Amino acid sequence: MQQYVTKDDLITLGINLTNRDLDSLLTHLNATIEERIGAEITEELSDEQLDEMIAMQDSATDEELSEWIAKNVPEYIEIVQDTIDMVVGELAQGADTINTTVS
């Protein structure tokens, strides 16, 4: 899984958790971001392109798949950044709650 958000990002946001809790939160955040990006990408594709991408997932390397997505989803970079910004923004709003709930 790609790291969209890192421990340093969480610390910068004021998230003060143990390393184990940080790792768990990072896994959840990065999985959430990946799922949301996937959903956005599939909305941008035609049915034919979606079938092609699904077929590629079984045989293509991550690099080949990334190149295909970049070619077929021109807004890919914006989708990724917007998704990261939204998830990090949601997290920042709940930072105080996260720190007090886990502490």
Side-chain angles (χ1 to χ4, degrees), residues 73-92:
V73 183
E75 307 84 19
Y76 177 68
I77 300 297
E78 292 83 11
I79 290 171
V80 170
Q81 192 57 57
D82 289 348
T83 304
I84 293 169
D85 291 345
M86 283 190 299
V87 171
V88 169
E90 293 166 6
L91 180 66

Side-chain angles (χ1 to χ4, degrees), residues 87-100:
V87 171
V88 169
E90 293 166 6
L91 180 66
Q93 289 178 345
D96 290 337
T97 304
I98 292 169
N99 288 331
T100 57

Side-chain angles (χ1 to χ4, degrees), residues 16-31:
N16 300 311
L17 303 173
T18 65
N19 278 335
R20 187 173 129 187
D21 290 334
L22 275 175
D23 289 341
S24 179
L25 181 57
L26 281 171
T27 299
H28 172 73
L29 288 172
N30 286 305

Side-chain angles (χ1 to χ4, degrees), residues 4-56:
Y4 298 100
V5 179
T6 65
K7 282 184 183 182
D8 290 339
D9 295 328
L10 295 180
I11 292 167
T12 299
L13 290 171
I15 305 292
N16 300 311
L17 303 173
T18 65
N19 278 335
R20 187 173 129 187
D21 290 334
L22 275 175
D23 289 341
S24 179
L25 181 57
L26 281 171
T27 299
H28 172 73
L29 288 172
N30 286 305
T32 298
I33 291 168
E34 205 163 80
E35 288 171 15
R36 290 184 185 182
I37 290 170
E40 286 285 327
I41 287 171
T42 57
E43 287 180 18
E44 297 291 321
L45 299 175
S46 68
D47 290 342
E48 183 180 288
Q49 288 173 315
L50 185 57
D51 290 342
E52 185 178 344
M53 186 181 80
I54 290 169
M56 285 185 69

